[in-house]
Amino acid sequence: MKTATASAQQNTDYELSAVPANQRKSFFSLTIVWTGFVFVITSMMAGGGLAAGLNFKDIILATFLGNLFLSAIAILVSVIACKTGLTFALITRYSFGAKGTRLASLFVPIVNLGWYTIQSATYGHFIAQIFDFGPVAEGITMMLSALVMGVFALIGINAITILGYIAIPSIIFLSLATAIKSVGVAGAFSVITEFIPSDPMSIAGGTTVVIGTWILSTATCIADIMRYAKNMKQAALSAIVGLVGGNSLLVICGAIASIAVGNSDLTGVLLTLGLVVPSIILMTTNIFTTNASNIYSTSLNLSNAFHMDRKILISVILVLSALLTLTKPYQIDSLFTFLNVLGVIVPPLAGIILSDFYIVHRGHYAPLDEAALRDWTISPWVTWALSYGIVVLLERMSFGLSSLNGIIAAIVLYPILVKIFKEKQD
Ligand SMILES: O=c1cc[nH]c(=O)[nH]1
């Protein structure tokens, strides 16, 4: 009895089992949660960074290509989540094995901790700029930001949905208003369209940056949301709305604001425009919704890795993140380094998950409690390492797009290695 109660406590958000059909959510509420996740200031900052290297036409092209790529991955992962009802962490059991999954599902929390910390620090830094805080008060504000943002994730998916309903209209309105106001400051829209970047970047490089903005979550965390979808069409459409609609909007608004004001530090840009109160609302809504979903997914993955109550795990992560904000990861250079690393490391993982479901298992997994899973498998790990090597090699040869290279390499290599190691699981 005690054990049953403990395990029920650990499974309040279906972190250890499939979401049943009668608990699936409407298309509208899924789209709110996913779009609230995707709407984030770091996409605007990436747009600002693109403006240092691309002209406006190429920024639009890179944004479009990047989000198209992201949508394709997001749809394929969402379909797996919707069909199985499982979190990303539980999906990895089929490829990484019943014990291997515990190691594999540590990857998402580590990277999410990076995102969570960058975004909490950006928010704390922004508040510190507004109130003209010194370094100590800025440090305290950044730490408090990291602690407070996790509260919604502690409550669960319903709290995140309510937060999204409040946040999304204001984010759409305020990001457009920021772009329009900055065009006003520049004098004419032709200043944006005729702008010549100072430090040219290739379109492939720009596309990789855009892909980097959401590759982690489109390959992983999106499953934690779309497992609640009633059908695959709704899951796919919801994924596209968030990326092609939401992410593109913020990247482009960030680029326009940055070109107009000549500064890629978005928090600085917003303050230069004199939009103090609107910018506080913009920053608060978009960072809170994203970080709540971030830490929610992190806790689901950690539950799978450690088999402990996700609320205890969230608390530990929040304290860790609060301490890490003191390294000041809000600087644009840290963000770009992080994006580039993600654009290379995450796609092979997405390739493994997709290849396992669509190629090795031909689009069907046995229910989790009936599947005969090995404890450990070697093929996904070898695929990941080899794909990473291939990406780095091709990057040195300036061949193609790193994210695409990584995902294709893993999709092709994985089934071959599964055959070689005789590791197909039923
Ligand atoms: O929190 C975030 C922000 C951007 N992209 C992500 O994958 N996560």
Side-chain angles (χ1 to χ4, degrees):
M1 181 66 196
K2 210 170 159 197
T3 320
T5 314
S7 101
Q9 274 171 358
Q10 280 172 31
N11 201 24
T12 49
D13 249 310
Y14 303 101
E15 55 265 49
L16 301 175
S17 61
V19 176
N22 66 359
Q23 294 299 316
R24 301 292 176 115
K25 297 188 183 293
S26 70
F27 166 73
F28 195 62
S29 83
L30 289 180
T31 308
I32 288 287
V33 175
W34 174 236
T35 309
F37 194 178
V38 171
F39 270 149
V40 70
I41 196 73
T42 36
S43 289
M44 291 184 96
M45 288 160 74
L50 287 184
L54 296 176
N55 63 34
F56 191 61
K57 192 169 88 340
D58 291 344
I59 290 173
I60 305 267
L61 185 60
T63 305
F64 177 71
L65 291 176
N67 281 302
L68 212 59
F69 179 86
L70 290 172
S71 296
I73 297 183
I75 291 171
L76 292 170
V77 174
S78 298
V79 165
I80 305 177
C82 171
K83 272 183 120 172
T84 59
L86 300 176
T87 61
F88 176 76
L90 293 178
I91 291 171
T92 63
R93 289 195 183 186
Y94 294 87
S95 41
F96 286 84
K99 293 206 170 128
T101 181
R102 298 179 73 166
L103 190 58
S105 54
L106 279 180
F107 176 75
V108 174
I110 290 171
V111 184
N112 261 351
L113 179 65
W115 275 120
Y116 189 87
T117 307
I118 288 177
Q119 282 149 191
S120 304
T122 302
Y123 186 74
H125 169 61
F126 174 69
I127 297 291
Q129 274 183 308
I130 291 179
F131 293 103
D132 209 9
F133 287 162
V136 174
E138 180 186 81
I140 294 172
T141 315
M142 290 191 299
M143 288 178 75
L144 283 178
S145 304
L147 294 175
V148 171
M149 284 177 200
V151 170
F152 294 92
L154 276 174
I155 304 171
I157 191 107
N158 290 336
I160 299 175
T161 311
I162 294 169
L163 185 63
Y165 278 115
I166 301 167
I168 288 175
S170 57
I171 298 171
I172 295 177
F173 175 74
L174 290 170
S175 47
L176 284 172
T178 306
I180 292 168
K181 172 106 186 184
S182 49
V183 172
V185 169
F189 196 63
S190 56
V191 173
I192 312 290
T193 52
E194 283 160 21
F195 154 82
I196 298 172
S198 54
D199 189 9
M201 171 195 291
S202 66
I203 293 183
T207 307
T208 299
V209 167
V210 175
I211 291 174
T213 59
W214 279 99
I215 186 65
L216 172 74
S217 300
T218 53
T220 61
C221 312
I222 195 169
D224 301 336
I225 299 171
M226 297 308 170
R227 70 198 165 122
Y228 282 100
K230 288 191 174 135
N231 59 51
M232 293 182 276
K233 211 163 94 195
Q234 291 190 357
L237 203 60
S238 183
I240 296 176
V241 170
L243 290 163
V244 177
N247 196 35
S248 303
L249 176 75
L250 290 209
V251 172
I252 292 170
C253 285
I256 292 177
S258 157
I259 294 172
V261 182
N263 179 0
S264 61
D265 173 0
L266 233 285
T267 53
V269 170
L270 292 168
L271 295 179
T272 312
L273 294 174
L275 297 167
V276 178
V277 175
S279 64
I280 292 178
I281 301 173
L282 176 63
M283 292 288 275
T284 308
T285 47
N286 83 29
I287 294 190
F288 269 64
T289 44
T290 302
N291 264 359
S293 293
N294 230 325
I295 220 73
Y296 174 68
S297 268
T298 295
S299 69
L300 296 175
N301 279 278
L302 289 176
S303 292
N304 182 53
F306 294 112
H307 293 193
M308 277 172 69
D309 185 343
R310 67 176 196 90
K311 295 190 179 175
I312 297 175
L313 295 164
I314 290 183
S315 311
V316 174
I317 287 288
L318 294 183
V319 172
L320 198 58
S321 173
L323 292 172
L324 286 172
T325 57
L326 298 178
T327 62
K328 300 192 176 176
Y330 51 74
Q331 279 121 340
I332 192 97
D333 289 350
S334 318
L335 176 67
F336 265 59
T337 310
F338 188 61
L339 293 183
N340 283 321
V341 171
L342 288 189
V344 174
I345 292 186
V346 185
L349 173 62
I352 292 164
I353 301 299
L354 299 181
S355 191
D356 190 64
F357 182 75
Y358 290 102
I359 299 177
V360 176
H361 287 90
R362 301 189 184 283
H364 176 78
Y365 279 152
L368 197 59
D369 45 2
E370 292 168 21
L373 302 178
R374 290 162 187 268
D375 279 350
W376 290 92
T377 50
I378 306 171
S379 29
W381 299 104
V382 178
T383 304
W384 204 345
L386 288 178
S387 305
Y388 176 74
I390 292 172
V391 171
V392 173
L393 198 70
L394 293 180
E395 205 167 52
R396 292 221 176 113
M397 294 158 66
S398 301
F399 181 86
L401 201 63
S402 298
S403 315
L404 195 55
N405 293 340
I407 202 160
I408 293 175
I411 287 178
V412 173
L413 283 175
Y414 179 73
I416 300 173
L417 289 165
V418 167
K419 268 223 153 65
I420 294 176
F421 292 114
K422 298 191 179 45
E423 281 186 335
K424 180 166 185 275
Q425 310 190 81
D426 297 315

